[in-house]
Amino acid sequence: YHPSMEPNILVGTSGGLWHLAGERATPVEALAGHTVTALATDGPRAAWAVVDGATLWEGRDGAWTSRASLEGAPATCVAATSAGPLLGTEQAHLFRLVGGRFTGVESFERVEGRAAWYTPWGDPADVRSIAVGPDGALYVNVHVGGVARSRDGGASWTPTIDIETDVHQVLAHPSRPEIVLVASAEGFGVSRDGGDTWQFATAGLHAHYLRAVAVAGEHVVISASAGFHGRRSGLYRKHLDEGPRFERCAAGLPRWFDDNIDTACLVAAGSLVVFGTGDGRVFRSLDTGTHWDLAVKGLPPIGCVALA
């Protein structure tokens, strides 16, 4: 976004897509009443949205157009890549948009260790999040199946982390290609060698179950809770390169949130940090998570947030 302008905040909900500027939330009429399940921005004027788990819409200069629909397992996440949008789905598949149609990424079906992917409740694993590094490396988080990495545009894949860490989000640092971050059930994980090795930190946290992570300038911001049901959920921050201890984000925030601040609902760009909640509130920080204000409330339940 232009440094002299506040970025556009896109908020995907169970009742449509909203554009937030300042204190005003404006619905995108084309998507009114639809569930927006995933968002990704592609430069300062373009974005992708997964609608009703099946249709990919493109937003360009504020106008939204349906591009393609997916048959089979519902889509769970989308990422913008140099080769076009990459879609992840339930049952752990990947699809690319090629010539107006979705094409399966067959190489991902052959990832080493795929047979061991699982969910605690017995369903097949899902692709939960996708990250693209500044060097073009692709990181695909499977729940529960760890993080698979591709350094050749998706032609081949390598597992990078023990699947039992139960990763909920993978995030590539926006400017340092060697740094990859995860929010997991075992805490905050950081790799400083592109996913080859990992270190985990939980110091300062009231609980180590993490759903979301964002990079805000020199800091990382995470969401932590007591577990799957989200009781006693809060945000924490720390300097990425200094010490293992997190500090609580408190100024301007409720003491606790009742539900997890979820994967895809916490985003940052520079010093701006934004997150959305399941009860339709959007909070915003302009100083890497030190102070917060309530930007908007009363939206439908929020499932994803993006900055454009």
Side-chain angles (χ1 to χ4, degrees):
Y1 61 88
H2 194 281
S4 67
M5 297 173 60
E6 183 176 342
N8 295 322
I9 301 170
L10 298 175
V11 183
T13 77
S14 62
L17 179 66
W18 300 75
H19 168 256
L20 178 61
E23 308 302 316
R24 182 186 175 109
T26 305
V28 174
E29 292 298 335
L31 298 177
H34 292 275
T35 298
V36 179
T37 50
L39 288 166
T41 53
D42 190 4
R45 300 167 69 180
W48 298 100
V50 175
V51 178
D52 297 331
T55 304
L56 186 66
W57 286 63
E58 181 182 17
R60 191 163 294 275
D61 295 326
W64 287 85
T65 307
S66 176
R67 290 300 184 208
S69 292
L70 189 68
E71 302 292 334
T76 54
C77 53
V78 61
T81 79
S82 60
L86 184 65
L87 224 66
T89 75
E90 293 182 9
Q91 301 177 23
H93 305 303
L94 289 179
F95 292 87
R96 286 194 184 281
L97 183 63
V98 179
R101 299 182 61 182
F102 285 115
T103 301
V105 180
E106 293 301 325
S107 57
F108 192 70
E109 304 295 317
R110 301 187 294 272
V111 181
E112 178 187 346
R114 185 181 178 102
W117 297 351
Y118 73 100
T119 58
W121 49 91
D123 289 343
D126 300 334
V127 175
R128 189 177 178 97
S129 64
I130 303 171
V132 184
D135 58 352
L138 302 175
Y139 300 90
V140 176
N141 156 218
V142 174
H143 185 253
V144 176
V147 175
R149 178 189 67 208
S150 177
R151 288 176 167 160
D152 53 16
S156 63
W157 298 88
T158 303
T160 67
I161 197 170
D162 187 336
I163 70 172
E164 295 304 330
T165 55
D166 193 3
V167 174
H168 297 125
Q169 184 183 354
V170 64
L171 180 68
H173 193 284
S175 61
R176 299 165 67 180
E178 73 279 7
I179 294 182
V180 189
L181 314 170
V182 295
S184 83
E186 300 301 315
F188 166 73
V190 58
S191 174
R192 298 181 184 274
D193 52 18
D196 290 337
T197 61
W198 296 86
Q199 295 80 42
F200 281 80
T202 57
L205 304 179
H206 75 286
H208 57 68
Y209 182 90
L210 275 55
R211 281 281 184 90
V213 57
V215 172
E218 300 298 318
H219 287 75
V220 292
V221 182
I222 59 164
S223 70
S225 78
F228 175 78
H229 294 292
R231 290 181 294 273
R232 290 166 60 89
S233 179
L235 286 186
Y236 292 81
R237 67 192 288 272
K238 83 174 197 71
H239 195 287
L240 179 58
D241 298 320
E242 295 176 8
R245 180 166 289 274
F246 284 91
E247 63 180 10
R248 182 77 179 272
C249 298
L253 294 180
R255 176 163 175 77
W256 299 110
F257 291 91
D258 293 334
D259 296 313
N260 279 299
I261 298 163
D262 214 349
T263 310
C265 292
L266 171 67
V267 292
S271 60
L272 174 69
V273 193
V274 178
F275 71 92
T277 66
D279 60 4
R281 291 178 289 172
V282 178
F283 291 85
R284 174 177 51 200
S285 170
L286 302 178
D287 55 10
T288 67
T290 303
H291 302 91
W292 296 84
D293 69 272
L294 177 62
V296 67
K297 62 181 180 179
L299 297 181
I302 294 168
C304 50
V305 180
L307 299 176

